[in-house]
Amino acid sequence: MAVPVWSVDPRTGKPRAGDGPVATEATPEQVDAAVRAAAAALPALADRAARARLLRGAAALLEDSAGAIIAAADAETALGTPRLTGELARTAFQLRTFADVVGEGAFLDVIIDHPDPQAVPIPRPDLRRYKIPLGVVAVYAASNFPLAFSVPGGDTASALAAGCPVVVKAHPDHPATSELCADVLRRAAVDAGLPADTVVLLHGFQAGVDLVRHPLVAAAGFTGSIPGGRALFDAAAARPRPIPFHGELGSLNPVVVTEAAAAERAEQIGTGLAGSFTLGTGQFCTKPGLVLAPAGDGGDQLVAALTGAARQAAAGVLLDARMRENFLKGAAARVALPGVTAPVTPGAGEDAQDAGGGDGAGQAVRAGYVVVDAADLTEQGAYDLLLEECFGPFTVIVRYADAAALDAVLDRLPGNLTATAHLGAAEAGEDGGPAADLLRRLTALAGRVLVNGWPTGVAVTGAQHHGGPYPATTSTSTSVGATAIERWLRPVAYQDTPPALLPPELRDGNPLGLPRRVDGVKE
Amino acid sequence: MAVPVWSVDPRTGKPRAGDGPVATEATPEQVDAAVRAAAAALPALADRAARARLLRGAAALLEDSAGAIIAAADAETALGTPRLTGELARTAFQLRTFADVVGEGAFLDVIIDHPDPQAVPIPRPDLRRYKIPLGVVAVYAASNFPLAFSVPGGDTASALAAGCPVVVKAHPDHPATSELCADVLRRAAVDAGLPADTVVLLHGFQAGVDLVRHPLVAAAGFTGSIPGGRALFDAAAARPRPIPFHGELGSLNPVVVTEAAAAERAEQIGTGLAGSFTLGTGQFCTKPGLVLAPAGDGGDQLVAALTGAARQAAAGVLLDARMRENFLKGAAARVALPGVTAPVTPGAGEDAQDAGGGDGAGQAVRAGYVVVDAADLTEQGAYDLLLEECFGPFTVIVRYADAAALDAVLDRLPGNLTATAHLGAAEAGEDGGPAADLLRRLTALAGRVLVNGWPTGVAVTGAQHHGGPYPATTSTSTSVGATAIERWLRPVAYQDTPPALLPPELRDGNPLGLPRRVDGVKE
C-alpha cells in the first residue's frame, strides 16, 4: 500500500486545496532502487567539467522556474515571497560557487612527492595523492530552508561538486517544492550529459532511516533537530561499515553584551536583537537564543529597547503544526519557571491579520522573550530548559552581575554554530585584555565568532564556517561555504605508478593546470 | 587495589626476570586526573613555537635514550635491534617532520575574505577562518610498532603539532618501553617551556575504555585490531557528545598479479611477495594478505618461487602469546578448508634457534601460505575466512582463470589500507585499457595504490595516505604523513572582528608570514 505524501499549507493546517497527494513514501525496495540508480551515476561524475555544467545548469533552471518554485514553497512553508526570492537567489549563487570550486580544483588537494633514493631515514618512493569522491551521498533536507538547505541546497551542491551522486530525503514540510527542485536538478544533469539519477528524491520517514543504512550510501548530510539528527547519526555509526554523518543539529547561539557595550549602545543592541531573534519568525538555526546582558542601568535600557521592538514584531506562521505546538508549549514552560519574567509573552497569534492572510486565523504565533538571573543557570536543574534551543521567535536574556557570574553561565553552555560579543568601543580596540579573553571563551563554544553583529545571515564564501562543537554539528566540518566540499571526499595515494596510468591530475607537467603541492612547493 | 602491569618477554612468555611490575593500571579516578591534567596544558600549547621545540626536543631525547629504549622494546616485543633501530629513527624523523609542519603553518588553513558590500546576492561581512586544536586527544598505542605507532608515534606527534595535549593508553605488550618514551616526551615538554602533563601515560584495558568516554577528551587515535577498534569507535559515537575516532583497524592489502606480469616476472614477484609477507614476522598492517595470481604457467612459476623463498624465511617470535595462539589457530583453520592447499604450512617453530635465542624454544612461529581457487571466494560461505586478516607470517594466493573470476573476488573484498597491481611492461605503459581499469578497481578498495611494488614500508611524507575504506580506517583521514595533523583540528571563523582582537594568524599584512588564501588568492 503506497502511503500518500500531502502538501500541507501551514497557514491553514490543511492539505493544499484542489491538489491530490504530491508523491508517495518510498518503500524499502524503492529506497534500494534509488540508491542503486544513483550509484550507477558515479563513474559519469568523474568528469569535472560535466559537474561544473550540471551545477551552473541547475542554477539557471532554478532561476527559470523561480515563479513556480517560490509559489509552491510559500504555500508549503508560509515563509513569504520576499524571503523565498532571496533564498532562491542564494541557492543559485551557491550552485554557481561550487561550479567555480570544481573548476579551480584546489579541493582535490593534490600533493606530489617525487622519489628520493637518498631520503633519510629510508629511501622514499614516488607518492602522489589527491582526493576522490566517497560515493552516494544521502542528503536530509531541512524544514526551515526549503531551497538553500534542501533538495538544491548546500549539501547537494557540495556533494555533486565533489563528484558524488545524491539521494535526497525530502522534508515533509515541503514535498511539492522538493519535487519541483529535484526535477530541475535531474534536467540539469541530463543537459550536462550526466544520468538523470545523479540526483534522486525520496519521501517518507522510514525511507530516511533505510537510506542511512543502505550499504551503498557512503556519507550523509543532515540539517534538522537534535533528536532526529542524533537518531540518524547513531544509525550511521552502528552500520556494519560506519559512514561519515555530517549533521547540523541545534544551537543556542549565545550573545554576550559587555557592560561597556550596554552603556554605549543599549538601544541599538536591544532593537538589533529583536530584529535578529524574530527574523523569519525565529526559524533560523543561527537565531540568538541566549543573550547575556549585564545587570544595572545599561542592561535595563537594553531590555527596555528589546521589549519595545519585540512588541512591534509581526506575528508569523511557523513551518508546520508540530513546530507551532512545540513552540507554544516550550515557550510557556520557560515563561512558567519561578523567578523568570516575560516582558513580552510569546504565544498564539490572535487575529486573522497575524497569519498574513485571511485564511490563517489562529495559525500565527507571536514573538516573546524571558529574563532570568545568571545565578539560576549556574547549577544543573529546572532552569536548564533555558539552555536548550526553542525553535521559533523566542529568546532568553540572562542578567549577570559580574565577570564571575558571566563565566559560570558560559561554562554550562553546549556547543554552538555561533557566539557573539557586543563590545564597547574601547574594548574593541584593545589588543589583549578582557575582550580578548572573552573572544577566546566564545571560540571554545562555537564555529563562528562575531563581534558587534548578529548571527542570522550566513554568507556563502570561502572563509565561512557553519558548524561547531556538538550538538551544533556532529563533525568538525562546515555545511556552508567552499570548504563544505571536503565532507564528501577521501584521499588516495599512488605509489610508483607509471605515468600513463596516473590520473591526469597527478601527472608531471600539471596537464590540468591545478593548484598542487609538489615536493613541498606550491604550483 | 592497584593492579600491577608487567613487562613480558615474548621469547619466553614470562615476565622479565629480576624486575618488578612496570606500573599499575589506572583507576577511574586516575584516568580523570590524567585527562584534567592534560586539559590544563591546552592553553600553553597555543604557542606554535613551543610546540615545534617540544617535537624537536623529543626527537633528540629519543635518540639520546636510544640504547635503553631499544633494549626495553626488544625485550618486550622480540622485534630485534635492527628493526627497532630503524623504527626509532623513523619515529624521530616523524617528530621533526611535524615540527616542520607546525613551523610552516599551512595546516592552519587560513582563509580570509574581506567584506564586500556590493556582493550578490547579499553584502558579505569580513570573514576570517583558520583551524584550532580540538582539545585533549586520546591515543591508543599499537602492539606492532612500540615506537612509531605508540607513545612517541604519529598520532602523538600530529596531535601535539596541532596543539592538542595527549593522553596515551599504553599497549600491554610494551609497558616499559612506553614508560621510557613518555618520560622522554614529558621532559621535552618541560624543556620547551610547556607543562609535563602535555603528555600523560595510562595503562590498563578499562582505563582505555574510561578514557574514550571522558567528557574532556575531544578526539581519539587508535591502531589495532578490528574488535578492539570497533568497540572504542562505538563508545566514542555513543557518548552524549560524540567525538571523532580515527582508528586503523585491519587490512588484507590485496595484490593483483596480471597474466603478463606473471609471464614476465614470476620469480621476482614470488620472492618479493615472500619477503613482504614475512617481513617483521608478518606483523605489519600493510602485509599483503591476499594475492590474486593467474591460473596457468606464469602463476605456477610464481607459486613455485614463493614456495622456495617462504621455506627459507626465518621463524620468528610474535609480539605476545595471544597473538601466537591466534596465528596458529587462524592459520590452521585456513589450511584445513577443503580444496585449499598449503605449499608451505604455517605453524609453530620447532627448535630453539627459531626464537633467535636460547631461551625461546617453542615460542617461534614459521611462515606459510595457502592457495585457493577464485571460484571458492565468489560467494559467501566458509571460505570467507580467507577474506579476513590473519595477523602474522601468512598469506593467501587466489588463482583466477580469467578477468571475470578476478572481478568476482575483487567485488567481495572489504576496505584496505593498500592495494597493489603487478603489471606487465606493456600494460604499465598503456594510457587507458585494462590496466587502467584495474587501477580504478583497486582505488575503490584502498587508500594507497601501488604498482609493481610491495605495500610494506610506509614513507612519512606529505603525499602519503595511510588509511582506507572501513575496516582499514574508521574515518577518511591518514595516520601517517603531514596531513595526519588534520585529524585534531576544527575550523573557526571570525566575523567582523576588530583587528586588535583577531588572532595574529588572521590579521591583515600577514604578520606571521603564513601561507594563506586571501580573497581567493594564495599569499
Side-chain angles (χ1 to χ4, degrees):
Chain A
M1 284 283 291
V3 179
V5 173
W6 293 87
S7 183
V8 175
D9 184 341
R11 293 190 179 95
T12 63
K14 301 199 176 80
R16 286 164 67 197
D19 296 337
V22 171
T24 57
E25 294 188 2
T27 63
E29 294 72 28
Q30 287 168 331
V31 173
D32 181 59
V35 175
R36 289 182 186 283
L42 182 64
L45 281 166
D47 178 352
R48 282 199 296 133
R51 273 138 68 184
R53 286 198 304 272
L54 157 59
L55 292 162
R56 286 190 211 286
L61 285 178
L62 201 64
E63 289 166 342
D64 289 348
S65 308
I69 289 172
I70 290 169
D74 183 54
E76 289 185 309
T77 66
L79 287 171
T81 301
R83 148 72 195 271
L84 290 165
T85 301
E87 189 178 328
L88 190 139
R90 176 197 179 87
T91 308
F93 176 76
Q94 194 160 248
L95 288 160
R96 291 192 177 104
T97 296
F98 279 109
D100 293 342
V101 167
V102 174
E104 191 209 19
F107 75 97
L108 294 168
D109 219 350
V110 177
I111 307 177
I112 295 176
D113 289 322
H114 286 98
D116 181 357
Q118 312 303 326
V120 283
I122 47 165
R124 201 176 64 198
D126 184 285
L127 278 165
R128 297 163 190 249
R129 170 241 201 222
Y130 76 151
K131 290 188 179 171
I132 61 172
L134 278 174
V136 176
V137 169
V139 170
Y140 294 83
S143 62
N144 58 343
F145 279 91
L147 306 173
F149 287 79
S150 288
V151 180
D155 284 350
T156 299
S158 57
L160 294 174
C164 296
V166 171
V167 179
V168 188
K169 192 276 190 181
H171 196 280
D173 279 356
H174 33 74
T177 310
S178 299
E179 287 286 339
L180 290 172
C181 291
D183 183 58
V184 157
L185 289 163
R186 291 168 62 86
R187 277 193 287 144
V190 172
D191 290 351
L194 294 165
D197 290 334
T198 295
V199 179
V200 185
L201 182 67
L202 297 175
H203 300 268
F205 176 85
Q206 187 57 42
V209 177
D210 295 343
L211 183 59
V212 81
R213 292 183 177 149
H214 195 287
L216 289 179
V217 167
F222 171 92
T223 311
S225 71
I226 295 179
R230 183 64 194 248
L232 289 169
F233 169 88
D234 289 344
R239 293 164 49 112
R241 190 167 61 85
I243 56 172
F245 184 87
H246 301 285
E248 183 198 319
L249 272 51
S251 183
L252 268 182
N253 304 301
V255 176
V256 175
V257 181
T258 66
E259 188 144 10
E264 294 171 20
R265 297 186 286 117
E267 173 80 22
Q268 187 199 348
I269 295 171
T271 53
L273 172 58
S276 186
F277 96 81
T278 65
L279 192 70
T281 320
Q283 298 173 110
F284 286 108
C285 44
T286 52
K287 179 196 77 174
L290 189 88
V291 181
L292 290 133
D297 284 353
D300 289 348
Q301 286 163 30
L302 188 161
V303 167
L306 173 61
T307 296
R311 281 199 180 128
Q312 319 250 320
V317 175
L318 295 181
L319 290 156
D320 65 38
R322 190 179 51 85
M323 284 186 200
R324 182 174 191 272
E325 192 186 324
N326 285 345
F327 170 75
L328 294 175
K329 274 193 193 166
R334 287 159 172 87
V335 169
L337 287 167
V340 161
T341 61
V344 182
T345 308
E350 279 162 27
D351 60 53
Q353 294 312 106
D354 287 353
D359 287 345
Q363 294 296 326
V365 300
R366 290 202 148 275
Y369 81 94
V370 295
V371 180
V372 64
D373 191 274
D376 290 332
L377 288 171
T378 51
E379 278 182 26
Q380 210 174 333
Y383 293 92
D384 285 1
L385 185 60
L386 300 174
L387 303 181
E388 292 174 22
E389 184 179 0
C390 179
F391 196 79
F394 179 80
T395 195
V396 177
I397 307 295
V398 182
R399 302 295 298 269
Y400 65 90
D402 52 27
L406 171 60
D407 265 3
V409 176
L410 292 179
D411 275 344
R412 301 211 55 233
L413 296 188
N416 293 278
L417 291 168
T418 73
T420 301
H422 278 273
L423 305 175
E427 287 169 331
E430 248 175 67
D431 199 337
D437 290 341
L438 176 60
L439 285 211
R440 264 192 293 278
R441 291 296 309 268
L442 298 183
T443 300
L445 288 172
R448 179 163 53 109
V449 175
L450 300 91
V451 175
N452 294 349
W454 298 104
T456 40
V458 184
V460 177
T461 183
Q464 186 56 275
H465 187 72
H466 189 64
Y470 187 89
T473 44
T474 57
S475 74
T476 57
S477 63
T478 180
S479 61
V480 177
T483 58
I485 194 173
E486 295 174 6
R487 298 176 292 171
W488 320 120
L489 299 159
R490 70 173 173 94
V492 62
Y494 291 87
Q495 181 170 330
D496 291 336
T497 300
L501 292 173
L502 279 172
E505 290 85 350
L506 300 181
R507 294 188 187 176
D508 283 341
N510 201 358
L512 304 185
L514 295 167
R516 315 197 297 184
R517 185 179 172 112
V518 179
D519 299 325
V521 179
K522 294 270 176 193
E523 272 190 348
Chain B
M1 284 284 290
V3 179
V5 173
W6 292 87
S7 183
V8 176
D9 184 340
R11 293 190 178 95
T12 63
K14 300 199 177 82
R16 286 164 68 198
D19 296 338
V22 170
T24 57
E25 296 188 0
T27 62
E29 293 71 28
Q30 288 168 330
V31 173
D32 181 59
V35 175
R36 289 182 187 282
L42 183 63
L45 281 166
D47 179 351
R48 283 198 295 133
R51 273 138 66 184
R53 284 197 305 274
L54 158 59
L55 291 162
R56 288 191 209 287
L61 285 178
L62 201 64
E63 288 166 342
D64 289 349
S65 309
I69 290 173
I70 290 169
D74 183 53
E76 291 187 308
T77 66
L79 286 171
T81 301
R83 149 70 196 272
L84 290 165
T85 302
E87 188 177 329
L88 189 139
R90 175 197 178 88
T91 308
F93 176 76
Q94 194 159 250
L95 288 160
R96 292 192 177 102
T97 297
F98 279 109
D100 293 343
V101 168
V102 174
E104 191 209 21
F107 75 96
L108 295 168
D109 219 350
V110 177
I111 307 177
I112 296 176
D113 289 323
H114 286 99
D116 182 358
Q118 312 302 327
V120 284
I122 47 165
R124 200 177 66 198
D126 184 283
L127 278 165
R128 296 160 190 252
R129 170 245 203 219
Y130 77 151
K131 289 186 180 172
I132 62 173
L134 278 175
V136 176
V137 169
V139 170
Y140 294 82
S143 62
N144 58 342
F145 280 91
L147 307 173
F149 288 79
S150 289
V151 180
D155 285 351
T156 298
S158 57
L160 294 174
C164 296
V166 171
V167 180
V168 187
K169 192 276 189 181
H171 195 280
D173 279 357
H174 33 72
T177 310
S178 298
E179 287 286 338
L180 290 173
C181 291
D183 183 57
V184 156
L185 289 163
R186 291 168 61 87
R187 278 193 287 143
V190 172
D191 290 350
L194 294 166
D197 290 334
T198 295
V199 178
V200 185
L201 182 67
L202 298 175
H203 299 268
F205 175 85
Q206 187 57 42
V209 177
D210 294 344
L211 182 60
V212 81
R213 292 182 177 149
H214 195 287
L216 288 179
V217 168
F222 171 94
T223 311
S225 70
I226 294 179
R230 183 62 193 249
L232 289 169
F233 170 88
D234 289 345
R239 292 164 50 111
R241 189 166 61 83
I243 55 172
F245 184 88
H246 300 285
E248 183 199 320
L249 272 50
S251 182
L252 269 182
N253 304 302
V255 177
V256 175
V257 181
T258 66
E259 189 144 11
E264 294 171 20
R265 296 186 287 117
E267 173 79 23
Q268 186 198 346
I269 296 170
T271 54
L273 172 58
S276 185
F277 95 83
T278 64
L279 191 70
T281 320
Q283 299 174 108
F284 286 109
C285 45
T286 51
K287 179 196 77 175
L290 190 88
V291 181
L292 290 132
D297 285 352
D300 289 348
Q301 287 163 29
L302 189 161
V303 167
L306 173 61
T307 295
R311 281 200 181 128
Q312 319 251 322
V317 175
L318 294 181
L319 289 157
D320 65 39
R322 190 178 51 84
M323 284 186 200
R324 183 173 190 271
E325 192 186 323
N326 286 344
F327 171 75
L328 295 175
K329 273 193 193 166
R334 287 161 172 87
V335 168
L337 288 167
V340 162
T341 61
V344 183
T345 309
E350 278 162 28
D351 62 53
Q353 295 311 106
D354 287 354
D359 288 345
Q363 295 296 326
V365 300
R366 292 201 149 275
Y369 79 95
V370 296
V371 181
V372 63
D373 191 274
D376 290 333
L377 288 171
T378 51
E379 277 182 25
Q380 209 175 332
Y383 293 91
D384 285 1
L385 186 59
L386 299 174
L387 303 182
E388 291 175 22
E389 185 179 0
C390 178
F391 196 78
F394 180 81
T395 195
V396 177
I397 307 295
V398 182
R399 303 293 299 269
Y400 65 90
D402 53 27
L406 171 61
D407 264 3
V409 176
L410 292 179
D411 275 345
R412 300 212 53 234
L413 296 188
N416 292 279
L417 292 168
T418 73
T420 301
H422 278 274
L423 305 174
E427 287 169 332
E430 248 175 65
D431 198 338
D437 289 341
L438 175 60
L439 284 211
R440 262 193 292 279
R441 290 296 308 269
L442 297 183
T443 299
L445 288 172
R448 180 164 53 109
V449 175
L450 301 90
V451 175
N452 294 351
W454 298 105
T456 40
V458 183
V460 177
T461 184
Q464 186 56 273
H465 187 73
H466 189 63
Y470 187 89
T473 44
T474 58
S475 73
T476 57
S477 62
T478 181
S479 60
V480 177
T483 58
I485 195 173
E486 295 174 4
R487 297 175 294 171
W488 320 120
L489 299 159
R490 69 172 173 95
V492 61
Y494 290 87
Q495 181 169 329
D496 291 336
T497 299
L501 292 173
L502 279 173
E505 290 84 349
L506 301 181
R507 293 187 188 176
D508 283 341
N510 202 0
L512 304 185
L514 295 167
R516 314 197 299 184
R517 185 179 172 115
V518 180
D519 299 325
V521 178
K522 293 271 178 193
E523 270 188 352

